[in-house]
Amino acid sequence: MKIKFPERGINDNKPTPKLLYDIIINQLKFTDVCLDKNKFDATIKLWPNRSYCNPPFSNKKPFILRAITSNKIGNEILLYLPFDPIPSWFKLLYQQNALIMVFMKRMGYARFAHALFHLKNYNEPKIVLLQNEHDVLKFLS
């Protein structure tokens, strides 16, 4: 019996869950740098302060590298990514002393845990567990 794996990139265009997106954009006032790639190429340009990105899951690393570079010049960055501590991109964010907020519930159509990675010149990395989208406000308000 042959195991069928999902097609690579099949989840690239899955949006951030609506309630979470509303909290990030409308309440916390972050700017979505991936909203229109024709106006702003988030893999090339430095991101402004309080930038948010939900990168395509099959090609996360260029966005993560640009997020780290933008954070190193003092900009606050927020990324929505799967929670997977194995790949090298996770280690890069952890080494940048990210605040990693892991959702304890299934987000949208996700089959696995997701997290927000907050880069804001913290002294050490920290992982916290969130019960729901509104818990983000406890850490980012």
Side-chain angles (χ1 to χ4, degrees):
M1 180 172 161
K2 189 174 183 179
I3 297 174
K4 185 175 180 179
F5 292 100
E7 201 175 307
R8 183 168 173 79
I10 198 165
N11 293 316
D12 280 357
N13 296 318
K14 297 283 185 191
T16 305
K18 185 174 177 10
L19 177 58
L20 179 61
Y21 190 81
D22 181 57
I23 290 169
I24 291 168
I25 302 303
N26 297 322
Q27 291 184 44
L28 295 171
K29 305 297 184 198
F30 279 81
T31 300
D32 186 345
V33 295
C34 294
L35 191 58
D36 185 349
K37 67 179 178 180
N38 295 320
K39 290 184 180 179
F40 185 87
D41 188 339
T43 61
I44 296 172
K45 294 184 177 181
L46 286 174
W47 299 2
N49 191 39
R50 296 191 64 80
S51 289
Y52 168 72
C53 180
N54 175 359
F57 284 11
S58 69
N59 190 27
K60 294 179 268 316
K61 200 159 185 181
F63 293 88
I64 291 167
L65 292 173
R66 187 49 58 190
I68 289 169
T69 301
S70 298
N71 173 249
K72 284 183 178 180
I73 62 168
N75 293 331
E76 181 180 1
I77 307 295
L78 189 62
L79 296 160
Y80 180 67
L81 296 161
F83 180 71
D84 184 355
I86 304 302
S88 62
W89 62 260
F90 180 92
K91 292 177 181 107
L92 288 171
L93 290 167
Y94 190 84
Q95 290 168 345
Q96 293 302 310
N97 295 331
L99 168 61
I100 304 166
M101 297 168 277
V102 182
F103 290 98
M104 296 303 296
K105 71 174 198 168
R106 192 177 190 157
M107 298 299 287
Y109 300 101
R111 293 181 295 143
F112 42 84
H114 276 73
L116 288 170
F117 294 75
H118 188 231
L119 300 172
K120 189 182 176 182
N121 303 320
Y122 294 109
N123 292 326
E124 60 186 23
K126 184 175 181 180
I127 298 176
V128 297
L129 304 177
L130 305 178
Q131 296 300 316
N132 61 57
E133 295 87 345
H134 287 98
D135 284 352
V136 171
L137 296 169
K138 296 175 189 174
F139 297 96
L140 299 183
S141 290

